[in-house]
Amino acid sequence: MGGGILPVALLIVWWAVTAAQLLPSYRLPSPAAVVQAAVDLQTNPLYPGALFRDIAISVQRVILGFLIGSLIGLVLGSLVGLSRTAEILLGPLLGAIRAVPSLAWMPLLLLYLGIFEPPKIVLITIGAIFPVFTTLSTALRHVDPHLVEVGRAFGLRRFELLTTVQLPAVLPSLVAGLRLALAQSWLFLVAAELISSSIGLGYLLSDSQNNSRVDRLFLAIILLAILGKSTDALIGLLERRLLKRWG
Amino acid sequence: MSNVSAPALRVSLRSVARRFEQPDGSQRTVLRDIELDIRAGEIVAILGPSGGGKSTMLRLVSGLDRADAGRVEIDGTPVAEVDQRSAVAFQEPRLLPWRTVERNVRLGLPRGTEPAAGRARVAELLRLMQLDAAVSLRPRQISGGMAQRASLARALARNPGVLLLDEPFGALDALTRLTMQDLLLEVHAVEPATILLVTHDVDEALVLADRIVLLGETPDAPGTGSTIRTILHVPGERPRDRAAAAIVELRSLLLEGLGVPSHHVSAP
Ligand SMILES: Nc1ncnc2c1ncn2[C@@H]1O[C@H](COP(=O)(O)OP(=O)(O)OP(=O)(O)O)[C@@H](O)[C@H]1O
Ligand SMILES: [Mg+2]
């Protein structure tokens, strides 16, 4: 509950500043104007449902890219964290790929994969892989060897050992990695949609910039904040489910 | 215990040696020339000084560690890597901190145990170990002694042919320790596993064991690693009278063997 105090205060200040007309509305739109912008976008007779469509496509891209990316990160992180051989083979290459700023892939992806969904999802995937990979592989190297030995002594091997002892032991790091990966996913979603898209919240941002629609820019930013926070809450939910399942 | 018992299995160690690499690269012999045959269903206690290789010996029998020389066999065949014919209760409880006590013990159940039978067995073991109140607690919420009992329950849950117990009662208060010793004997009577038990406590060895193995370095060859100094047969059927003359005699013998003067004057 306490976490709601500041956002509400901010909203009141925002409203007060605009109501007192301290700034011109083309600089700072009022909260009501932003809500109106949302309604207009959604009910525009030329493109009915445009706002929800933008939201839906962005969420879909983020979730797809995040799921694929964190799954790859999970597999690579487990391999490199658990096997010396995999670390020697894969470590340097993955480190080099990680060193490439992910946005640098975008032109190549557009060239190879066209302009529709694949390049965006692949970019988000790349962005999601490394936080999971890095946190997981590091954490797995530090699991208490005594506990791993218990697992082995009671007949657990490889995959079972991983899911019974090693992953639960690194759950906090894993969750931190997933959270970072999700934040990265949203970051690369917006980047991809700013660069090349005709729908989505990133497109709404660039289109509104071109038309100087500050109210829609505010709308897009607020929506990104709400969606980012909600998906992050899902990870908290996942953490609790895993704790219950493993406990 | 209602479960069908896995048969107890004999254990043999032949000319077993184990060396460890030192930080400076040299090899240090911890165990050497270990010759021991344990009958199926026998209880053998291992006594010896700290750092004398007792835990190492258990690890060799469990298959968690491999001997550098000699053979370690269970039931006539060499121990496999992490041999599933044995179960270990480690010197430290080593419970999985994110699991409840109940789920920790359940980890010990043999593969393919039916869920209902498994739950019943775990519940019974927890009751025997007086852990009913701790069933759904996590390891950080229970005392050291409770954790150790949970660890013992986990090993018992496996119902193994060979039970390897590394100071299973080390963290218990004197009273609980006596209860648990009796309990171990009760379980053993119903499910007669072969038990190899490390202990620091001479009296515990005398109460529980059929034979006591005294592990240590020979005084005339210090630094060459521990070996079996003596093997003592403990006379009498269990439960034993701790005050019986033969037991008292053995106790002072053992204490002398461990380098502790017993102040015992033998009857003429
Ligand atoms: N993995 C290992 N690497 C190097 N040295 C080891 C290893 N395991 C055991 N040792 C050494 O072997 C010796 C015997 O250890 P062990 O744990 O068997 O003793 P212990 O008799 O069980 O002692 P305690 O009664 O204190 O538990 C010790 O000096 C220890 O340092
Ligand atoms: Mg030890």
Side-chain angles (χ1 to χ4, degrees):
Chain A
M1 277 290 97
I5 295 175
L6 284 179
V8 169
L10 203 61
L11 194 66
I12 293 172
V13 169
W14 177 19
W15 173 81
V17 167
T18 51
Q21 294 188 327
L22 294 177
L23 286 165
S25 67
Y26 64 86
R27 285 263 160 212
L28 183 68
S30 69
V34 172
V35 172
Q36 189 56 46
V39 173
D40 287 350
L41 269 176
Q42 181 63 12
T43 57
N44 184 341
L46 279 177
Y47 310 101
L51 181 62
F52 281 10
R53 189 202 51 197
D54 281 343
I55 294 175
I57 192 74
S58 287
V59 169
Q60 179 186 317
R61 286 167 178 164
V62 161
I63 290 189
L64 268 177
F66 167 74
L67 284 182
I68 302 172
S70 42
L71 201 69
I72 297 174
L74 197 72
V75 172
L76 289 177
S78 303
L79 275 175
V80 170
L82 296 177
S83 147
R84 278 297 299 163
T85 322
E87 189 191 348
I88 290 165
L89 277 177
L90 292 172
L93 177 66
L94 288 170
I97 297 177
R98 182 178 48 192
V100 178
S102 304
L103 274 183
W105 297 106
M106 195 60 190
L108 200 59
L109 292 176
L110 287 173
L111 213 61
Y112 281 176
L113 301 174
I115 52 168
F116 297 111
E117 293 307 288
K120 302 178 186 74
I121 293 182
V122 171
L123 184 73
I124 296 171
T125 301
I126 295 174
I129 290 175
F130 289 103
V132 177
F133 164 74
T134 310
T135 45
L136 189 60
S137 59
T138 314
L140 282 176
R141 252 174 247 133
H142 296 108
V143 175
D144 182 356
H146 271 181
L147 295 185
V148 176
E149 192 175 65
V150 163
R152 291 206 308 132
F154 284 98
L156 303 175
R157 307 176 131 230
R158 290 170 181 278
F159 188 67
E160 272 179 314
L161 191 61
L162 179 68
T163 55
T164 312
V165 178
Q166 283 143 333
L167 281 184
V170 300
L171 183 64
S173 309
L174 179 59
V175 168
L178 287 173
R179 287 217 144 100
L180 273 172
L182 185 64
Q184 288 278 77
S185 300
W186 282 104
L187 173 65
F188 287 111
L189 167 88
V190 172
E193 287 182 345
L194 279 175
I195 294 170
S196 129
S197 187
S198 51
I199 40 173
L201 292 171
Y203 167 73
L204 180 61
L205 280 168
S206 71
D207 187 57
S208 309
Q209 184 202 3
N210 293 336
N211 299 316
S212 301
R213 290 293 301 264
V214 182
D215 52 346
R216 289 187 180 173
L217 287 175
F218 267 79
L219 174 66
I221 289 170
I222 291 170
L223 282 174
L224 283 169
I226 293 173
L227 291 170
K229 190 80 197 74
S230 317
T231 43
D232 190 73
L234 286 180
I235 296 202
L237 221 64
L238 174 77
E239 179 179 21
R240 246 171 294 151
R241 288 213 41 166
L242 285 177
L243 270 179
K244 202 160 178 184
R245 194 195 155 119
W246 284 335
Chain B
M1 297 274 129
S2 46
N3 285 53
V4 188
S5 219
L9 302 171
R10 71 200 147 87
V11 175
S12 71
L13 296 101
R14 291 261 167 286
S15 325
V16 167
R18 182 72 176 110
R19 292 180 277 277
F20 287 112
E21 186 148 337
Q22 297 286 94
D24 63 9
S26 65
Q27 298 273 322
R28 192 166 75 84
T29 302
V30 170
L31 288 174
R32 63 176 177 89
D33 306 318
I34 304 287
E35 296 279 345
L36 184 62
D37 277 290
I38 306 174
R39 276 184 290 105
E42 191 178 13
I43 302 181
V44 170
I46 304 173
L47 275 174
S50 181
K54 305 183 294 296
S55 297
T56 303
M57 190 163 148
L58 281 202
R59 295 171 57 79
L60 292 174
V61 177
S62 72
L64 285 168
D65 195 10
R66 296 198 87 60
D68 293 303
R71 279 176 299 141
V72 182
E73 295 178 341
I74 292 180
D75 198 29
T77 55
V79 291
E81 191 185 332
V82 204
D83 204 300
Q84 293 303 301
R85 294 173 292 181
S86 59
V88 197
F90 293 94
Q91 191 165 353
E92 320 78 22
R94 299 198 191 184
L95 302 175
L96 304 181
W98 56 88
R99 285 196 173 203
T100 60
V101 168
E102 198 257 344
R103 296 247 300 146
N104 261 293
V105 175
R106 219 191 285 173
L107 187 70
L109 291 171
R111 301 340 269 312
T113 309
E114 263 186 57
R119 263 196 303 281
R121 180 165 178 85
V122 169
E124 186 169 8
L125 283 168
L126 287 170
R127 189 182 52 75
L128 283 173
M129 294 293 143
Q130 303 172 359
L131 286 169
D132 319 65
V135 175
S136 51
L137 296 181
R138 319 259 155 190
R140 69 185 145 70
Q141 298 170 307
I142 62 179
S143 72
M146 291 161 94
Q148 206 170 30
R149 280 179 276 151
S151 161
L152 178 58
R154 179 173 62 189
L156 289 172
R158 176 128 294 210
N159 193 4
V162 180
L163 193 54
L164 304 168
L165 308 178
D166 201 342
E167 300 187 31
F169 310 127
L172 303 185
D173 63 277
L175 224 65
T176 318
R177 178 184 281 244
L178 295 183
T179 318
M180 289 298 138
Q181 289 169 357
D182 285 347
L183 213 132
L184 182 66
L185 291 178
E186 265 171 53
V187 174
H188 182 255
V190 186
E191 295 176 348
T194 307
I195 299 181
L196 199 53
L197 165 122
V198 170
T199 176
H200 271 145
D201 179 348
V202 170
D203 288 302
E204 183 165 281
L206 287 167
V207 170
L208 294 179
D210 298 302
R211 283 188 298 162
I212 299 176
V213 170
L214 197 59
L215 217 54
E217 300 201 310
T218 38
D220 47 329
T224 57
S226 294
T227 189
I228 294 180
R229 302 280 309 282
T230 20
I231 301 182
L232 296 168
H233 289 259
V234 185
E237 290 293 304
R238 289 180 294 255
R240 296 204 178 95
D241 175 5
R242 287 157 210 263
I247 298 283
V248 173
E249 203 66 36
L250 263 186
R251 178 182 298 122
S252 57
L253 215 76
L254 282 167
L255 287 172
E256 302 280 359
L258 289 166
V260 185
S262 65
H263 310 297
H264 172 70
V265 186
S266 293

